[in-house]
Amino acid sequence: METPQLASPPVPLLLGQAADFGRVRALFEKAQFDEKTISRALGIADMVELGKVRIEEADLAAALGSPMLAVLVRAFLLNRFVPRDVVERTINDAALGSLLALDLVRPDQDAYYAPALLYPVAGFVIASDRHENPDGSPLAPSPDAVFPAIFAGTLRFVRLIPRSSAESALDLCTGSGIGALVLSRHVERVVAADITARSAHFARFNALLNDRRNVEVAQGDLYDAVAGRTFDYIVAHPPYVPALDEPRIFRDGGETGESVLRRIIQELPRHLRPGGVLYCVSAAWDSAEGPLEARMRRWLGECNREFDVIFAEQKELPREQIASWLADKARRTDPAASAQWEQRFKEAGLESNVYGAIVLRRADAPGAGDGRTPVTLRPKLSPRTDGACFAWAFRWHRWRAEHEATGRLAQALLDSRPRLGSQLRARVIYAPQNGSLAVSEIMLQSDLPFRSATGIEPWMLQLVGQFGQGRTAREVYDAARAAEEFPDGFGADDFATLVAMMIERGYLEVEDSTLL
Ligand SMILES: C[S@@+](CC[C@H](N)C(=O)[O-])C[C@H]1O[C@@H](n2cnc3c(N)ncnc32)[C@H](O)[C@@H]1O
């Protein structure tokens, strides 16, 4: 049996006076209601881990080192009742008056409770829907529940968001508005758009609470909310779980899970400016039609050659696994449900479900593109990969293609001064050989710009160690040649190719000015 469709609870939080928002901000600042203080005190890495801590409410003040912070954590993060006398003793009348005026707390007999979940994340304080009642009993999410910004996928999305300046940006599927708020630090005008009135209301509230005056909130189905407008950046963390019925708007992406993502990409050419970039975290499919990257090119239509496409994959799951996960999730543990899902995916030609970061950059010159072959890549996403890594990859591939086209690539690489990559690790494995231990495998690894691992020959390890002393690649080459470190027939062009591979995979780094 499917869970019955739930009615939405009344929308909490009031878009009140600026003075009340100001007083609440001051209260949070005074209490140090911030990620660093709270995670350090509770011994967690980030707010996502909050669900893992089991701390007695009575011990909170001692753990947090402040009764005021304990009241805020108890009411807003743990979402529990807090006795009236404790609140009134700890929070001054004016601040409490503002919390009440904005409907951030409500009185209930001899206690107060918060009608929303409220937490510090990415340097903001964000409200979203609660998932427990104030007495700790579970609260099933309504179809239009506002998605928590303290979810691992959202933090991945936040890491991806560009930190460079631009005139305008759009956060599609904004939920709490977190993407738009992060963008608003660097972008002049940001639109936060969502299909539900509930999310639009929370996004408005969060923009006011964080005093982000350059954030405009719009409600509508994807780009309908911003018809006729174009943007330098478009970011999205859409719903992507396959669902047949009773959709949860924040989670479900149609029969294959791809329906929202597909429309984001299909309509992108009408809304992304030349030189603009789409950043998106989603799951989708590799299918009989081709890998996700090739399918996205088809979705883009005729102008797909104007777009460079990078899909940085975090994980890949076979369709059988997705089918059985969906069957379990619906609590239909009978094997037939799983087989039905599998059959559905099979009929649609879907082979494996892939999850990661999708980044599409539009060429500076619209129309025919800029005459070069567009980039299409699938690296591996690492926990350190951020928006700047994609920007670097686009620059690097453009520089490389331009120099290749004019036959100047080897020369330019030999003239560059690479240094060791900040995340370079060399892993050497020894194994028994002829009665003693000998090197059997050497791997170079890096987490920047993407996750990479490359097996190399022992002589190459020596060579890698020669970089990082400010020498040009040519000087490293000449010294190694003089020391007879190369195998026979390994020339300067081969060395340049090796340097290119090591730069691309993050084992070596070059100054940004090299890639101009
Ligand atoms: C996974 S949540 C992400 C929320 C937020 N961006 C985040 O990362 O925390 C997906 C959001 O997409 C919204 N949504 C679903 N379908 C949509 C559509 N067709 N147009 C606009 N928003 C949509 C949902 O209401 C929900 O807020």
Side-chain angles (χ1 to χ4, degrees):
M1 274 262 301
E2 286 289 336
T3 336
Q5 186 82 269
L6 289 158
S8 301
V11 183
L13 309 177
L14 293 169
L15 307 179
Q17 303 296 318
D20 288 317
F21 282 109
R23 265 194 290 277
V24 169
R25 274 196 299 279
L27 170 71
F28 291 158
E29 204 169 316
K30 185 170 171 209
Q32 291 188 285
F33 188 64
D34 60 65
E35 274 169 292
K36 204 166 151 193
T37 308
I38 297 171
S39 22
R40 194 181 290 158
L42 300 184
I44 51 177
D46 56 33
M47 290 295 120
V48 177
E49 289 195 353
L50 200 68
K52 293 187 194 159
V53 286
R54 282 283 147 253
I55 179 151
E56 290 301 319
E57 287 181 48
D59 299 338
L60 263 182
L64 293 164
S66 138
M68 195 192 279
L69 187 55
V71 164
L72 298 182
V73 167
R74 193 164 159 185
F76 293 130
L77 277 169
L78 306 184
N79 265 178
R80 293 290 189 270
F81 285 117
V82 188
R84 230 176 157 124
D85 61 324
V86 174
V87 173
E88 287 166 4
R89 205 172 48 232
T90 322
I91 295 177
N92 69 51
D93 289 351
L96 182 56
S98 291
L99 289 172
L100 287 161
L102 298 177
D103 191 32
L104 273 165
V105 295
R106 291 178 184 171
D108 182 274
Q109 296 177 19
D110 53 358
Y112 287 98
Y113 74 97
L117 186 66
L118 194 83
Y119 36 83
V121 65
F124 299 105
V125 176
I126 299 288
S128 57
D129 266 314
R130 6 178 348 136
H131 35 79
E132 281 180 344
N133 290 307
D135 62 5
S137 58
L139 181 63
S142 64
D144 62 350
V146 179
F147 199 75
I150 42 174
F151 174 75
T154 300
L155 294 196
R156 201 166 289 122
F157 167 63
V158 163
R159 195 172 318 114
L160 196 64
I161 289 175
R163 265 60 170 179
S164 47
S165 61
E167 197 266 319
S168 69
L170 168 65
D171 177 21
L172 283 173
C173 302
T174 197
S176 62
I178 180 69
L181 296 195
V182 173
L183 282 162
S184 75
R185 291 193 176 119
H186 309 278
V187 177
E188 282 171 44
R189 290 183 306 107
V190 185
V191 181
D194 201 284
I195 196 166
T196 74
R198 194 174 180 91
S199 281
H201 173 77
F202 270 73
R204 267 186 203 109
F205 183 89
N206 287 327
L208 289 166
L209 181 60
N210 292 280
D211 201 21
R212 307 311 297 179
R213 295 172 196 194
N214 55 344
V215 174
E216 165 196 341
V217 178
Q219 191 196 338
D221 182 6
L222 292 183
Y223 298 101
D224 287 356
V226 289
R229 294 169 71 175
T230 60
F231 301 89
D232 297 308
Y233 294 137
I234 297 179
V235 304
H237 179 208
Y240 51 74
V241 174
L244 298 179
D245 44 21
E246 302 197 39
R248 298 246 192 259
I249 303 167
F250 57 89
R251 184 195 65 186
D252 298 333
E255 270 196 32
T256 65
E258 274 182 338
S259 65
V260 183
L261 173 69
R262 190 171 57 237
R263 287 196 294 128
I264 290 175
I265 308 257
Q266 280 170 336
E267 294 172 42
L268 187 65
R270 265 188 280 150
H271 297 279
L272 190 68
R273 294 177 180 169
V277 191
L278 165 82
Y279 295 84
C280 179
V281 167
S282 185
W285 294 89
D286 287 340
S287 83
E289 278 180 353
L292 175 62
E293 305 85 285
R295 298 179 63 230
M296 289 194 292
R297 289 208 171 277
R298 241 164 270 144
W299 297 344
L300 284 166
E302 281 182 3
C303 60
N304 83 82
R305 290 183 59 80
E306 290 175 27
F307 289 84
D308 287 334
V309 173
I310 301 182
F311 169 51
E313 182 188 292
Q314 165 145 329
K315 67 177 177 210
E316 180 188 349
L317 293 173
R319 69 173 169 233
E320 311 82 67
Q321 213 166 318
I322 296 290
S324 75
W325 174 72
L326 287 167
D328 284 353
K329 195 164 64 63
R331 289 190 196 83
R332 293 185 199 151
T333 38
D334 67 303
S338 177
Q340 279 161 12
W341 272 112
E342 207 178 321
Q343 185 59 23
R344 195 178 301 272
F345 295 151
K346 199 169 172 185
E347 278 163 13
L350 306 178
E351 286 167 355
S352 45
N353 193 268
V354 287
Y355 171 88
I358 293 164
V359 181
L360 271 61
R361 183 186 184 279
R362 192 169 204 175
D364 295 326
D370 51 11
R372 79 207 151 88
T373 310
V375 169
T376 308
L377 297 172
R378 183 183 292 203
K380 296 266 181 241
L381 192 69
S382 96
R384 288 178 188 269
T385 303
D386 61 12
C389 295
F390 290 86
W392 180 87
F394 289 131
R395 260 202 324 278
W396 159 257
H397 283 279
R398 165 172 301 237
W399 180 88
R400 186 180 171 152
E402 279 168 9
H403 283 73
E404 233 154 18
T406 54
R408 289 178 296 129
L409 182 61
Q411 187 59 50
L413 287 165
L414 291 169
D415 287 345
S416 71
R417 290 180 193 277
R419 53 178 185 269
L420 296 176
S422 62
Q423 294 302 310
L424 170 65
R425 301 287 178 270
R427 218 159 57 96
V428 182
I429 296 178
Y430 290 81
Q433 212 178 72
N434 302 328
S436 63
L437 273 182
V439 172
S440 75
E441 198 185 329
I442 306 177
M443 294 283 274
L444 296 185
Q445 299 177 330
S446 179
D447 268 355
L448 278 178
F450 303 102
R451 171 164 288 165
S452 69
T454 311
I456 57 164
E457 302 288 324
W459 64 267
M460 291 182 183
L461 187 61
Q462 291 277 17
L463 200 63
V464 174
Q466 304 303 309
F467 289 97
Q469 285 134 38
R471 294 194 283 182
T472 63
R474 158 93 53 205
E475 284 162 353
V476 172
Y477 173 77
D478 287 343
R481 166 119 338 273
E484 299 185 353
E485 283 175 12
F486 295 125
D488 287 345
F490 191 88
D493 281 359
D494 301 310
F495 182 73
T497 304
L498 185 65
V499 170
M501 179 279 282
M502 292 202 286
I503 293 173
E504 195 162 316
R505 298 187 185 183
Y507 310 144
L508 295 178
E509 290 171 1
V510 284
E511 288 295 334
D512 278 354
S513 57
T514 307
L515 302 185
L516 291 178

